[in-house]
Amino acid sequence: MQSEKTSTEYVCGAALFFRAEVARRIGLLDERFFLVYEDSDWCFRARRAGFECLMVPTARVWHKIGTSFGSEASPLRGYFSTRNKLLWAEKNLSRREWREILRAALRRFYPRLVVDRSAASSLPKALLWAIRGFVREWRRRLSDPLEVAHRRGVLNYLLRRFGDCPAQIRTLTQIWASTQSFAADPGGARPQRVREDLTTPPRPDRESASP
């Protein structure tokens, strides 16, 4: 196992150590992110300023993932991930790459209309089935908490609404959590109980160490 430090693009904020000089040079975390992507953005800023991000492969840190969100699959997580990915891409990627990510986010707004000629005896019937499938999927997305959170994340990015999420997202997450007995943890190793106390906004420094 490696014991030497190796270069990396960014360091997780839950285990981030740095000299005070870095914070004096590049400033603190961008508070617009509030949660998710703020540590990655900060590290990218540090690298552009001439600093290097290093990791120690043999180091071990216990980080309880999902504490701020109740579950990594929650609408709350989905909202911040969607909105902040767009903001992060805007700040750190090329315009072409940012546009690709934005287009992908917008495409998720609407289901695809797929006409399968092989599944029907005629084109009109295949088209009818395709329209029915489109409407069914559209209705599902309108009521699906994760899809609602995604749309709100994209919309608030476009409207430049950053910081904490709207109260609607926390209410939506609470409703979603009430329907989930258990949520699988990101590694799929064991079931993780979904938190019920999602009405209280998490502190910005729960997921990352603030400089």
Side-chain angles (χ1 to χ4, degrees):
M1 185 177 291
Q2 288 181 297
S3 59
E4 297 296 325
K5 296 185 292 291
T6 59
S7 181
T8 184
E9 286 191 324
Y10 76 96
V11 179
C12 175
L16 177 62
F17 298 88
F18 56 89
R19 296 181 182 276
E21 176 194 357
V22 182
R24 285 194 290 266
R25 284 270 302 277
I26 70 172
L28 304 179
L29 297 175
D30 187 338
E31 294 184 358
R32 291 180 296 174
F33 289 99
F34 194 77
L35 286 171
V36 186
Y37 281 95
E38 76 281 22
D39 45 5
S40 173
D41 172 71
W42 194 79
C43 288
F44 271 61
R45 284 160 50 199
R47 291 170 59 221
R48 285 196 296 270
F51 296 101
E52 187 177 8
C53 291
L54 301 171
M55 63 171 288
V56 181
T58 55
R60 294 292 180 267
V61 176
W62 177 259
H63 175 41
K64 191 172 183 181
I65 297 176
T67 300
S68 297
F69 303 108
S71 166
E72 288 294 285
S74 71
L76 189 64
R77 171 75 188 209
Y79 170 83
F80 280 113
S81 294
T82 297
R83 187 198 66 183
N84 291 354
K85 181 178 182 179
L86 291 166
L87 177 59
W88 180 89
E90 175 189 318
K91 294 184 64 179
N92 297 289
L93 300 182
S94 67
R95 297 295 291 178
R96 180 184 61 80
E97 292 170 318
W98 166 76
R99 284 195 297 267
E100 289 177 357
I101 291 174
L102 178 58
R103 279 197 294 267
L106 291 173
R107 279 197 297 268
R108 188 171 161 181
F109 271 52
Y110 306 100
R112 294 177 59 193
L113 180 65
V114 180
V115 180
D116 186 0
R117 289 290 304 274
S118 64
S121 57
S122 64
L123 178 58
K125 183 176 290 187
L127 184 59
L128 177 61
W129 287 357
I131 293 173
R132 285 178 176 174
F134 177 89
V135 172
R136 189 182 307 113
E137 177 62 14
W138 174 244
R139 287 175 176 171
R140 185 196 69 80
R141 294 191 185 192
L142 285 177
S143 59
D144 186 301
L146 297 176
E147 296 296 334
V148 172
H150 171 82
R151 289 195 300 272
R152 190 63 183 269
V154 175
L155 178 62
N156 280 1
Y157 166 75
L158 295 173
L159 295 176
R160 317 308 288 173
R161 293 174 180 170
F162 299 113
D164 197 4
C165 67
Q168 175 206 15
I169 298 299
R170 295 194 184 280
T171 301
L172 190 67
T173 301
Q174 198 170 31
I175 295 171
W176 173 86
S178 68
T179 67
Q180 309 292 311
S181 297
F182 290 91
D185 73 351
R190 62 185 184 279
Q192 178 185 21
R193 188 71 182 179
V194 178
R195 280 178 52 208
E196 301 294 338
D197 57 333
L198 295 168
T199 55
T200 303
R203 292 175 58 83
D205 58 353
R206 282 190 181 175
E207 284 295 307
S208 63
S210 177

